[in-house]
Amino acid sequence: AETGVQGVFLTTLETWQESSSPRVSLIMRLVMTGETPEIVWIDSVGLTGEDTLGLLGIGRIKDSRQLLNKAFDQLLDSFQNYLAGKMPEYRYAENVQMELLNAGRKTADESLGPLKNHLRPQFSYRASTFDPAGNYTVAVIPFLNINARKHAGKIVALHIVKQLHRYANIRVYEPGLVRETLLRYRMIMQSGPSLAASDVLSNEKILGADLVVSGKVFDFQGDVGESKVDFSIQAFDGKQREVVWASRSYATGNAGVYFYDFGKIPSAHGLVSRMTRAVIEQLEE
């Protein structure tokens, strides 16, 4: 209102490590301003200095600033794809099957490739009444941390927002709008989501969300050593007051890797990007 800008870039610093093997992870989104803020583009990137070692390690990056520049280059390439109308997204075809448009275009998180089975949820439930081809508005609230690193719940929730935004039949609310709504009605969720919070977010006169997505993060490691991510997710139909989706996912970056670290996922960012994609795929397929 004060500056008249039409859009705001919001960047979340997921990981920043300066060492001989630096690590950088960012989540960036463009939010259009107005009466109801709207996400129009969101992507993320996670890099380590040892992603492309090559022969005798000559591809190792030791300067964190060089790694940061590389991360921003990938994000801006993704944004250019969006501006050119070439951003990969999922749409329902006439035969009610999901189709990935512009599949040849890479996202910054590079999570749209083939998924290994260990990245898919170990447990999942979907209500028989849920129609994946329907149009939904979704509010994602920060996940509850259970002995995980600080802010892990917010990070996993943003990855869920990113994956949901890639579906044309889903409108995911800007997280800042969800937070503002909860604060306005004094919904403090120190022990996780409540039925009262769901009632507020799904109320047509307040936010009108069809689904409220929440979860718990049990483990989130990726600063050093083997990366590990462990989380659960729940989608709640606030108007019907029933759970339509529940799942639990756990994976490590070294699973299924035997020779020369081929296929290894060194960062927690890389793991959670693929794991959250696998969850939303199963919900929507």
Side-chain angles (χ1 to χ4, degrees), residues 2-15:
E2 293 180 2
T3 64
V5 298
Q6 295 177 305
V8 180
F9 278 101
L10 300 176
T11 304
T12 299
L13 181 61
E14 181 181 327
T15 304

Side-chain angles (χ1 to χ4, degrees), residues 5-183:
V5 298
Q6 295 177 305
V8 180
F9 278 101
L10 300 176
T11 304
T12 299
L13 181 61
E14 181 181 327
T15 304
W16 175 262
Q17 181 173 304
E18 295 184 55
S19 64
S20 57
S21 179
R23 293 171 183 248
V24 173
S25 299
L26 302 166
I27 305 173
M28 182 182 287
R29 65 188 187 272
L30 174 61
V31 180
M32 301 306 291
T33 60
E35 184 176 351
T36 303
E38 190 82 26
I39 301 173
V40 296
W41 169 82
I42 180 171
D43 210 339
S44 67
V45 62
L47 302 175
T48 75
E50 300 183 0
D51 287 343
T52 54
L53 288 177
L55 184 65
L56 302 178
I58 58 176
R60 179 181 284 110
I61 298 176
K62 298 181 179 180
D63 187 344
S64 58
R65 292 172 297 180
Q66 182 182 351
L67 200 63
L68 182 62
N69 288 335
K70 183 178 179 181
F72 274 119
D73 284 343
Q74 290 185 207
L75 284 168
L76 291 176
D77 284 345
S78 171
F79 183 60
Q80 288 293 333
N81 284 339
Y82 159 73
L83 293 177
K86 298 177 180 179
M87 192 69 179
E89 63 178 0
Y90 292 94
R91 290 189 184 275
Y92 271 98
E94 292 182 358
N95 58 357
V96 199
Q97 292 182 347
M98 294 306 290
E99 178 185 3
L100 178 60
L101 302 184
N102 304 313
R105 295 285 179 170
K106 289 186 177 181
T107 57
D109 64 5
E110 298 182 342
S111 72
L112 295 182
L115 281 173
K116 295 182 179 179
N117 286 331
H118 77 278
L119 298 172
R120 303 183 187 278
Q122 278 70 42
F123 157 83
S124 65
Y125 158 81
R126 188 175 72 183
S128 59
T129 56
F130 179 76
D131 178 15
N135 294 312
Y136 299 97
T137 55
V138 181
V140 180
I141 60 179
F143 285 28
L144 181 65
N145 267 11
I146 308 293
N147 299 323
R149 57 158 276 192
K150 189 176 181 181
H151 303 308
K154 296 179 181 178
I155 291 170
V156 176
L158 279 175
H159 279 278
I160 293 292
V161 169
K162 176 187 68 177
Q163 301 297 349
L164 287 170
H165 187 263
R166 289 174 176 165
Y167 287 81
N169 63 312
I170 293 177
R171 178 193 173 204
V172 57
Y173 285 113
E174 155 59 29
L177 181 63
V178 175
R179 179 177 182 273
E180 180 187 37
T181 302
L182 293 173
L183 289 175

